[in-house]
Amino acid sequence: MAGRVDGKRILVTGGAAGLGAAFVRRLAQEGAHVIVADVRDVVGRSLAAQTGGSYLHLDVTSEREWQQAMSWAEQELGGLDGLVNNAGIAASTGAEDIEGIELDDLHRIFAVNVDGTVLGCKHALPLMARSGPGAIVNLSSIAALIPAAFVIAYGASKATIAHLTRSVAMHCASRGYGIRCNSVHPGQVRTEMMNTIIDRVGRETSMGLPAAEQVFLDQIPLGKFQEPDDIAHAVLFLLSDEARFITGSQLVVDGGMTLSN
Ligand SMILES: NC(=O)c1ccc[n+]([C@@H]2O[C@H](COP(=O)([O-])OP(=O)(O)OC[C@H]3O[C@@H](n4cnc5c(N)ncnc54)[C@H](O)[C@@H]3O)[C@@H](O)[C@H]2O)c1
């Protein structure tokens, strides 16, 4: 039986770990050739080997590395059908409320989350437009939709990604590229990133880890943290032809968290 993204060539940034690794596995199971693109070369290479795809070292903040990645995809795979701008960071070195934020932290978070997504769209689009119909998925967050005073740089970067996604969708439609662009907004998944945030809240408020976990959990009406595959299913759908009339949309996968905030 044909897979849902059979034969599609899809690049996943930050694909070596966390949510990105779940996307790589799920897309490969459904027949895609997945390019794992990350700065964690050893784990990234191993995942690509396990899933029958390719690995590329790609720091998403480097315009030169994006250009090299697109040249590689054109030469080695003959084109690109899908892009998941997933690489992202949340951690700041100090407090991240509006009075405590350090400019260096703001710039670091925006460099990976926003510059990385802009560069990905900018450099993938010409190749994707030459390759036929395609789709881009940008990882935003519920942090784009719900204000959180303790992560203002991260929240602002994710809100920027949601807005950017709609502009890219409009750009592609007006050029007749046949490329769709949507954002996915996960709620809370226990990856390295989320664990670091929960640890930090536990330490900074002196409430400790179990109580901090409970505070985060209490915000989810469905009562559980999401699993990486819950987000992977949404990404798979948006990259598949099943979503061929969906562009500029925001797919929220949060166990109802936005309902109660
Ligand atoms: N985990 C959650 O609950 C959650 C919630 C909402 C949104 N998100 C978003 O989902 C995405 C993935 O998050 P995650 O939880 O898997 O994070 P993670 O920290 O577990 O994994 C991030 C991956 O991105 C890679 N990466 C970091 N900087 C990079 C760079 N400059 N170039 C290339 N790769 C880089 C890392 O090496 C790692 O493999 C992020 O954009 C994040 O903001 C996550």
Side-chain angles (χ1 to χ4, degrees):
M1 207 173 76
R4 291 166 67 192
V5 284
D6 231 10
K8 292 189 194 292
R9 299 151 293 186
I10 301 173
L11 187 146
V12 180
T13 70
L19 298 186
F23 305 162
V24 170
R25 288 200 183 88
R26 193 72 196 90
L27 292 165
Q29 280 164 3
E30 293 292 339
H33 180 100
V34 187
I35 307 153
V36 181
D38 208 299
V39 289
R40 296 191 196 183
D41 297 337
V42 175
V43 270
R45 252 191 212 105
S46 153
L47 180 60
Q50 287 163 36
T51 52
S54 310
Y55 178 75
L56 277 185
H57 177 93
L58 171 61
D59 177 343
V60 295
T61 65
S62 163
E63 187 148 30
R64 185 179 49 81
E65 290 185 20
W66 270 111
Q67 286 162 335
Q68 288 168 346
M70 291 306 105
S71 300
W72 179 91
E74 183 152 41
Q75 277 160 25
E76 299 298 322
L77 305 177
L80 190 68
D81 310 295
L83 170 66
V84 186
N85 284 309
N86 162 74
I89 58 170
S92 52
T93 51
E96 210 197 294
D97 62 32
I98 189 62
E99 295 185 62
I101 184 81
E102 294 290 344
L103 205 51
D104 280 353
D105 278 334
L106 180 79
H107 289 166
R108 210 165 40 83
I109 290 170
F110 266 69
V112 177
N113 298 1
V114 176
D115 297 8
T117 305
V118 169
L119 289 174
C121 294
K122 173 181 173 182
H123 289 288
L125 274 181
L127 177 58
M128 289 180 70
R130 289 197 294 279
S131 308
I136 297 175
V137 175
N138 294 329
L139 265 292
S140 180
S141 168
I142 45 150
L145 310 171
I146 304 169
F150 69 101
V151 286
I152 60 132
Y154 179 73
S157 74
K158 291 293 168 178
T160 304
I161 289 171
H163 190 278
L164 172 77
T165 299
R166 290 157 57 82
S167 300
V168 172
M170 192 56 116
H171 173 86
C172 293
S174 65
R175 297 279 171 109
Y177 284 166
I179 297 169
R180 300 174 293 100
C181 186
N182 294 288
S183 55
V184 167
H185 300 246
Q188 304 185 59
V189 191
R190 297 300 298 269
T191 59
E192 200 177 311
M193 174 186 289
M194 194 62 212
N195 289 336
T196 308
I197 294 175
I198 296 174
D199 281 352
R200 203 175 123 203
V201 169
R203 268 184 287 107
E204 284 175 7
T205 59
S206 315
M207 69 171 76
L209 188 58
E213 278 175 337
Q214 198 54 48
V215 166
F216 281 88
L217 204 49
D218 286 346
Q219 297 170 29
I220 309 173
L222 290 186
K224 284 185 191 149
F225 292 109
Q226 295 96 70
E227 297 296 326
D229 267 352
D230 295 318
I231 317 303
H233 292 139
V235 170
L236 167 65
F237 167 63
L238 289 172
L239 289 168
S240 78
D241 296 340
E242 296 156 22
R244 71 195 178 104
F245 263 92
I246 303 178
T247 196
S249 76
Q250 304 184 343
L251 184 43
V252 179
V253 188
D254 69 345
M257 199 167 153
T258 34
L259 294 172
S260 54
N261 280 276

